[in-house]
Amino acid sequence: MIGITGPAGVGFSVLMGLIGVSASYFWKARVAQIKGESVQIRWGIDPSGYVYEAVKNNRLKDVKATVYYKEHLEDAQSILWNAAEYEQKNPIYTDANGEYAWDVPEGFWKVTFEKDGYEMSETDWLCVPPPQTNITVQMISKEKPIIENFSVHHDYAKVVFSKYMSPDSISNLKLLDSDGKNIGYEVEYDKNLVNEEGINYAQEYILRYKDNTVLKSGDICKLVSDENVKSYADIAMKSGELNAQVEKAVQIISPEQIEIKMGDSLDIPIYVGNSSDDIKLTASSDFQDIVSVDKVEKDHIRISGKLYGMANIILSVPGTGIEKKIKVTVSDSTKKIEIETKVVIPQSVYVVNVGEKIEIVPEVYPDSKQKGKWDIEGDKDIVSIKQNTFSAEKPGEVVMRYSLDGNDKIFADCKIIVEMKTELGDINADGSINLVDLMMCLNHVSKKKMLEGNALIAADIDGKNGVNLLDLMRILNYVSKKSTTL
């Protein structure tokens, strides 16, 4: 507490003049000082921070924050703070960054937080002073999580949930190919997303196929979920299934940044690599008052500069989870649009059997007439090349690089995996199914010597539940000529 009387009141009057006498508290203080009475000032100090859900990066906006006051911690009754006396509001709502803040006088303070669909949260009683800043609060939603987006690619699938999920539960998702066979995968996610306790949750997950599995464009893949897949709040999903078609490696090619004169409109060329004729493009501005999107076509968008400043144009291909941002600056001039040359390859990985051929045709943007050449990084005996046709010569893996003529810094890579063709029952891949294959299967079933790789695939005759006694009996019947088919 600070008391001001006598001559010191002159300085106090000057200070009040600088701050402004509109606030009723300061007006009363001036009157008291004129009368020669002691004036007590309780300085305002922020209780402030932010509200989040699951991980600190996931801020919650529009949370109702209400602050309560006690003069002494042992007081039984708390008081809803009258913020109007300090030209503030109580309650307030968190902003787009999930932040809240007040200037309060000294005392003990508690903040409660409310939002539809979330459990109520509150701080401890906070003593002011010292300053109480960066007070973070987690709110918990009991809403059942759902899958917002499921996209399938040649070598991975991507799953986006409505809520942040427990990574340990994601492996309970089942991924099935077009024949209904299970696809093994490894789970990938951002491990930097944590809460105050350092616990990691994520909203987006990559299911990276194992065992060199590569799906074909156009094939249908199924995702099966059940109650074992849970959110950060331990809320289980409903059981369900989703189907998705294997997509090409779609890419959006556009300028990285643009400068436009305020008041001007501008057409921006857009290219969507590996797209089909019916591809759709969406575009939006994250700050419409600065830059507006006036027109969206498959090959270009039109924007207008409204006010000086900066904004982002977000381009996306619906249903793919693919986005691209263009940074736009509104200034006194419009500058020439420049797009960096880019090479796009239809897939990132290919699997081919020895003796087979595949064709890989790169696309170059924005000038499709530019030519380039293929180079092999790795064992050059694994594949041979003739223009855009690749012949598989022997088992192995190579990285193929397509770079532009005259500028090898502009390139794109893909991987080619060459395998021996797997024939069911021919476990040792010698071209026939005989007693040797039968014994190899027997050793696996009896756990004397486990099969792996292509041999394991060849022994799984029915493609169900791994290699077991049923597969062994089918090979036995075939080798003993009791059956003409496996």
Side-chain angles (χ1 to χ4, degrees):
M1 305 295 180
I2 300 176
I4 302 179
T5 58
V10 177
F12 180 70
S13 295
V14 174
L15 177 62
M16 292 300 100
L18 293 173
I19 295 176
V21 294
S22 58
S24 61
Y25 175 80
F26 290 131
W27 174 252
K28 291 175 183 177
R30 269 191 92 216
V31 171
Q33 152 289 228
I34 292 170
K35 292 179 177 179
E37 299 173 352
S38 177
V39 180
Q40 295 182 331
I41 301 176
R42 297 196 292 184
W43 299 102
I45 303 174
D46 288 345
S48 61
Y50 63 84
V51 184
Y52 71 91
E53 178 187 3
V55 298
K56 292 184 288 185
N57 300 56
N58 185 34
R59 306 291 182 86
L60 285 177
K61 67 176 182 178
D62 298 328
V63 176
K64 181 181 177 181
T66 308
V67 63
Y68 294 88
Y69 168 74
K70 281 184 179 182
E71 186 171 0
H72 305 289
L73 186 59
E74 61 271 16
D75 292 347
Q77 201 77 7
S78 61
I79 301 169
L80 177 68
W81 183 48
N82 183 6
E85 291 185 1
Y86 293 80
E87 296 185 334
Q88 299 175 65
K89 294 181 179 180
N90 184 32
I92 58 175
Y93 290 83
T94 56
D95 63 14
N97 294 318
E99 295 178 347
Y100 66 94
W102 286 278
D103 273 340
V104 299
E106 61 195 47
F108 292 89
W109 303 87
K110 174 185 282 189
V111 185
T112 64
F113 302 90
E114 300 170 88
K115 185 175 175 68
D116 287 344
Y118 292 81
E119 294 181 345
M120 182 177 175
S121 294
E122 62 182 27
T123 67
D124 295 329
W125 282 102
L126 308 171
C127 180
V128 177
Q132 299 287 353
T133 59
N134 200 33
I135 305 299
T136 60
V137 175
Q138 179 178 190
M139 296 193 74
I140 296 175
S141 169
K142 294 297 185 179
E143 178 183 315
K144 274 190 174 294
I146 61 172
I147 295 173
E148 290 189 334
N149 185 270
F150 169 50
S151 57
V152 185
H153 307 268
H154 299 95
D155 57 337
Y156 71 94
K158 183 178 181 180
V159 187
V160 181
F161 295 90
S162 61
K163 294 293 180 182
Y164 280 75
M165 307 295 286
S166 171
D168 292 340
S169 73
I170 299 303
S171 58
N172 292 303
L173 293 170
K174 291 183 179 178
L175 200 58
L176 306 176
D177 65 14
S178 54
D179 295 324
K181 292 183 178 179
N182 190 63
I183 302 173
Y185 61 82
E186 294 179 348
V187 180
E188 300 175 3
Y189 56 94
D190 189 344
K191 292 181 172 60
N192 295 315
L193 301 173
V194 296
N195 63 12
E196 286 293 303
E197 289 76 40
I199 301 174
N200 186 200
Y201 300 108
Q203 194 172 16
E204 299 183 3
Y205 290 86
I206 298 295
L207 311 183
R208 184 79 58 184
Y209 313 145
K210 297 196 296 186
D211 302 324
N212 291 335
T213 299
V214 176
L215 304 182
K216 295 180 181 179
S217 297
D219 283 356
I220 301 297
C221 196
K222 180 181 291 185
L223 183 70
V224 182
S225 60
D226 61 25
E227 66 278 0
N228 292 311
V229 184
K230 298 181 178 182
S231 74
Y232 70 95
D234 203 36
I235 303 300
M237 290 188 65
K238 289 183 178 179
S239 298
E241 298 179 355
L242 288 173
N243 292 321
Q245 194 173 53
V246 180
E247 303 170 355
K248 291 183 178 180
V250 176
Q251 295 186 45
I252 299 174
I253 297 97
S254 69
E256 298 296 325
Q257 52 189 17
I258 290 170
E259 188 167 342
I260 183 174
K261 182 179 180 180
M262 188 175 73
D264 278 5
S265 293
L266 185 65
D267 285 343
I268 305 171
I270 307 292
Y271 304 91
V272 184
N274 283 332
S275 64
S276 57
D277 292 336
D278 60 351
I279 195 77
K280 291 183 179 180
L281 183 72
T282 65
S284 61
S285 170
D286 65 0
F287 210 142
Q288 288 279 354
D289 291 336
I290 293 178
V291 177
S292 65
V293 178
D294 305 326
K295 184 178 181 182
V296 181
E297 300 289 347
K298 188 171 72 173
D299 59 352
H300 75 278
I301 63 171
R302 179 173 297 165
I303 66 171
S304 295
K306 300 292 188 180
L307 293 172
Y308 291 114
M310 297 178 67
N312 291 308
I313 300 296
I314 298 96
L315 307 172
S316 63
V317 179
T320 67
I322 296 169
E323 287 190 352
K324 174 75 180 289
K325 285 186 179 181
I326 305 175
K327 184 184 292 185
V328 181
T329 302
V330 180
S331 63
D332 292 323
S333 62
T334 297
K335 293 187 177 180
K336 181 181 177 181
I337 296 175
E338 295 183 357
I339 301 179
E340 292 184 1
T341 301
K342 191 172 185 66
V343 178
V344 177
I345 295 176
Q347 295 178 206
S348 61
V349 60
Y350 296 82
V351 175
V352 61
N353 293 316
V354 172
E356 295 179 344
K357 296 181 179 180
I358 56 170
E359 185 180 39
I360 306 174
V361 181
E363 298 177 352
V364 182
Y365 299 91
D367 183 2
S368 61
K369 295 180 180 180
Q370 290 192 73
K371 302 298 181 183
K373 63 180 183 300
W374 288 102
D375 291 305
I376 301 175
E377 296 187 0
D379 188 343
K380 292 179 170 53
D381 294 330
I382 292 175
V383 296
S384 58
I385 313 171
K386 186 176 181 180
Q387 295 180 333
N388 292 324
T389 301
F390 299 80
S391 299
E393 306 294 348
K394 70 174 189 179
E397 296 183 12
V398 291
V399 173
M400 303 304 305
R401 172 165 293 183
Y402 187 86
S403 55
L404 294 186
D405 292 339
N407 191 346
D408 58 7
K409 292 184 179 180
I410 300 177
F411 63 86
D413 293 340
C414 67
K415 181 193 291 184
I416 297 180
I417 301 171
V418 180
E419 298 179 338
M420 290 295 295
K421 188 174 182 180
T422 302
E423 295 287 349
L424 288 179
D426 186 11
I427 299 174
N428 65 347
D430 65 352
S432 64
I433 303 170
N434 51 37
L435 190 59
V436 175
D437 302 298
L438 179 63
M439 293 306 298
M440 291 178 71
C441 186
L442 174 61
N443 288 335
H444 179 87
V445 173
S446 62
K447 299 184 178 179
K448 289 183 178 180
K449 186 175 181 180
M450 305 306 291
L451 299 171
E452 58 185 25
N454 288 340
L456 184 63
I457 296 171
D460 190 8
I461 307 302
D462 61 7
K464 298 177 181 178
N465 303 316
V467 179
N468 53 38
L469 190 59
L470 293 177
D471 302 298
L472 178 64
M473 293 305 298
R474 290 176 68 166
I475 297 175
L476 174 61
N477 289 336
Y478 184 84
V479 171
S480 62
K481 297 184 180 181
K482 289 183 178 180
S483 174
T484 57
T485 59
L486 285 171

